[in-house]
Amino acid sequence: MTKRVVLIGHPVAHSLSGAMQQAAFDDQGVDATYELWDRAPIALPDAVTELRGDDFLGANVTIPHKERMVPLVDRLTEEAHATGAVNTITKEGKRLIGHNTDVPGFRFALDKLVGKQKMPRSAIVLGAGGGARAVVFGLITEGFQRIIVFNRHLHRAESMVKHFGRTAAHMELRAMPWHESIIESELAKAKVLVNSTSIGLTDDATPIPAEIIPPELLVLDLIYKRTTFLRDAEAAGCTVSDGELMLLHQGAAAFTLWTGKPAPLELMQRKLHEAREGGLRSAEGEPAGDAVAAPSAGESTNGSSGTGESSGESAEGEPTGAASPD
Ligand code: NDP
């Protein structure tokens, strides 16, 4: 029987994951299809029930559902539990296991960025959404001793810091208000800067002005493209990297969890490039706006192209991005 793996999000029409996962299944002789399921939040419990069927191998989960999936699965891995977010589901019979492969994806990208240097101990994180949760947990488990989180809506950063309370008890994890002067003074004390906001995903906007980026930082943008932010940081003398490796390695980890096989990384990377050249704008997540049509709950798209996983809600279930109340 051909097995099914689905990406559940809202919207998902342009997801990059389909391109790399279907190619990996085909290359490794795994008889499976990767489908895109656009499901509004209200339809999520039914989608989860359907996943328990024998024809399903597992799923990917994307915004706005990563946090909402936590209580719907039967067991969480340590990373999913710690981050409070699920991006991959595997099966044990009819039981659903929730994983978070964004964490190893981020750690791989960070290791590459740091290279042969000693792992730094101090980081600034911009953003407090699902991606930022994986980033903060990845930094904590890499041994960082000081992490400062800035977010447009301070309360969301504060909730995230509170969520990590026990995990971060041995170190300094703080949320601070998004003021340029505060960001500037904190950047002077940090070695790593991560943009995990979606600013710059669909236009040339940048989260912070070029003038306040000091030289010699290690700078990572989760967005899978050369953003203005990365260009500014490079011009300032920083070492920079985009979100490609994180995307690739979260996908590779998921592939291995579903199939038990090592992922064909080169092929998956090539497929990501091709998909991006085919007109894709985002790596993993694209702000939902009025322009995004919301397909009906039962609608399913079979396919392997593009990206476009929607920003839509915070961990607390409140609208963000284009749907933001402000
Ligand atoms: P969320 O919707 O959960 O969070 C979005 C974040 O961006 C929030 O911190 C939000 O702030 C902030 N933000 C959005 N618009 C603005 C704005 N105009 N001004 C200030 N802040 C803003 O999304 P995710 O965390 O899942 O994704 C964030 C980014 O990371 C996306 O670009 C996504 O593509 C990328 N990503 C990449 C991955 C990869 O594998 N490379 C993996 C996961 C994410 P607020 O809370 O105040 O609304």
Side-chain angles (χ1 to χ4, degrees):
M1 174 180 33
T2 301
K3 293 282 190 177
R4 301 167 71 187
V5 177
V6 294
L7 169 66
I8 309 174
H10 184 60
V12 289
H14 302 100
S15 171
L16 276 166
S17 297
M20 65 173 174
Q21 296 294 1
Q22 190 63 57
F25 290 150
D26 297 346
D27 180 74
Q28 293 297 299
V30 178
D31 183 12
T33 58
Y34 193 91
E35 302 169 25
L36 308 182
W37 276 8
D38 191 316
R39 296 289 188 271
I42 197 166
L44 198 58
D46 284 348
V48 171
T49 303
E50 206 177 334
L51 277 185
R52 296 180 192 276
D54 290 341
D55 45 337
F56 289 92
L57 203 54
N60 273 145
V61 182
T62 190
I63 40 183
H65 301 319
K66 285 183 185 178
E67 291 93 356
R68 201 177 276 109
M69 191 57 86
V70 167
L72 298 177
V73 296
D74 302 305
R75 182 164 71 75
L76 295 172
T77 61
E78 187 198 336
E79 282 154 349
H81 179 72
T83 53
V86 167
N87 84 323
T88 300
I89 295 174
T90 56
K91 310 264 307 279
E92 281 174 4
K94 291 201 184 311
R95 283 166 55 82
L96 303 178
I97 317 302
H99 307 252
N100 190 318
T101 67
D102 283 338
V103 176
F106 167 73
R107 289 187 61 165
F108 192 94
L110 179 70
D111 282 349
K112 274 276 185 233
L113 180 66
V114 171
K116 290 193 170 38
Q117 302 178 47
K118 196 165 164 276
M119 184 57 75
R121 293 284 173 250
S122 173
I124 304 296
V125 177
L126 305 177
R133 281 176 175 247
V135 168
V136 168
F137 186 63
L139 291 169
I140 294 171
T141 51
E142 281 284 359
F144 276 64
Q145 290 302 311
R146 186 163 198 271
I147 304 170
I148 308 297
V149 182
F150 291 95
N151 196 52
R152 172 177 56 177
H153 294 104
L154 177 60
H155 67 91
R156 195 176 182 193
E158 288 171 339
S159 300
M160 182 170 76
V161 166
K162 199 168 158 204
H163 174 87
F164 283 114
R166 213 180 304 165
T167 318
H170 62 289
M171 43 86 64
E172 184 181 2
L173 172 63
R174 292 175 65 187
M176 288 193 184
W178 189 294
H179 290 307
E180 262 167 49
S181 59
I182 306 179
I183 298 177
E184 185 173 15
S185 87
E186 287 303 325
L187 283 175
K189 302 179 211 159
K191 183 73 187 142
V192 170
L193 168 61
V194 182
N195 177 35
S196 46
T197 74
S198 45
I199 302 170
L201 184 61
T202 55
D203 56 24
D204 290 335
T206 181
I208 53 174
E211 309 81 73
I212 69 167
I213 305 176
E216 291 170 22
L217 279 180
L218 299 170
V219 178
L220 180 65
D221 197 332
L222 297 202
I223 296 173
Y224 174 27
K225 73 174 190 187
R226 199 169 164 71
T227 53
T228 305
F229 170 66
L230 286 185
R231 281 202 299 272
D232 290 346
E234 194 164 37
C238 302
T239 304
V240 305
S241 181
D242 73 17
E244 176 187 351
L245 280 180
M246 178 170 172
L247 181 70
L248 176 67
H249 285 272
Q250 65 77 27
F255 177 88
T256 300
L257 285 168
W258 297 319
T259 65
K261 293 173 184 270
L265 275 173
E266 260 177 49
L267 171 74
M268 292 171 83
Q269 192 164 29
R270 197 168 70 241
K271 290 293 167 186
L272 277 181
H273 287 180
E274 286 171 12
R276 182 164 67 168
E277 274 157 26
L280 296 167
R281 287 182 303 178
S282 76
E284 214 269 356
E286 195 167 302
D290 293 336
V292 179
S296 63
E299 191 174 324
S300 153
T301 321
N302 218 336
S304 56
S305 69
T307 190
E309 298 158 1
S310 165
S311 166
E313 294 196 353
S314 73
E316 294 75 42
E318 128 211 335
T320 63
S324 171
D326 50 315

